[in-house]
Amino acid sequence: MNVRNCRSCGCIFNYVTGPKICPACREKLEMKFQEVKEYIRGHKGVGIPEVAEACEVDAGQIRQWLREERLELSSEAAAALTCESCGKPIRSGRFCEKCVVNMSKGFQEVLNTGRQTAPKPAKNEAEGPKMRYLK
């Protein structure tokens, strides 16, 4: 059992995966996310500071939701996020499309090099199946 203190309220809870916050705080955070989402839906083109103030949410939390691809900046918005690899402005997530493609190719190459095996020796048909005895 992995017991942790909630980073938000400090109470002890059984940690499984994800953010290190208790289920109650996770539920409150999800409710705040829904509030932010509805505010953005009703006020198109708003910026992070305005949403943070109107919904009483930390601007860093809004940026976290952008990085998690739960929210996306509009195409007119000033670049608030940059690709963690090349620094190019992005609207959501951690990496731009070009870097995602490059990383994916790199991962595939690593996987493929690990799968290369030596050629199998030719079987001698005359030998047939091998046998052994049991005690």
Side-chain angles (χ1 to χ4, degrees), residues 6-130:
C6 176
R7 285 189 176 169
S8 183
C9 69
C11 78
I12 296 173
F13 71 103
N14 185 19
Y15 175 75
V16 181
T17 62
K20 294 174 181 148
I21 58 175
C22 68
C25 290
R26 188 176 293 160
E27 183 64 33
K28 288 177 190 174
L29 191 60
E30 184 59 29
M31 289 172 61
K32 275 295 185 187
F33 173 75
Q34 294 302 325
E35 181 183 332
V36 166
K37 190 169 85 169
E38 289 303 317
Y39 184 82
I40 292 170
R41 192 174 282 152
H43 301 84
K44 299 205 185 283
V46 294
I48 293 174
E50 183 182 340
V51 175
E53 185 178 326
C55 298
E56 298 177 359
V57 177
D58 183 47
Q61 181 60 58
I62 294 172
R63 284 189 203 88
Q64 179 65 33
W65 288 328
L66 287 164
R67 291 280 184 202
E68 292 172 353
E69 298 183 349
R70 295 187 76 190
L71 295 175
E72 184 178 79
L73 294 170
S74 66
S75 56
E76 304 89 40
L81 295 177
T82 56
C83 173
E84 291 180 10
S85 181
C86 70
K88 178 181 171 185
I90 55 175
R91 295 173 43 190
S92 182
R94 296 177 55 202
F95 303 101
C96 67
E97 287 183 37
K98 182 179 177 184
C99 290
V100 168
V101 168
N102 288 341
M103 283 188 284
S104 179
K105 286 179 184 176
F107 292 143
Q108 285 300 320
E109 287 174 10
V110 169
L111 287 173
N112 289 337
T113 57
R115 290 186 183 159
Q116 292 176 354
T117 58
K120 294 181 181 178
K123 289 186 176 180
N124 186 352
E125 298 294 325
E127 286 184 16
K130 304 279 184 189

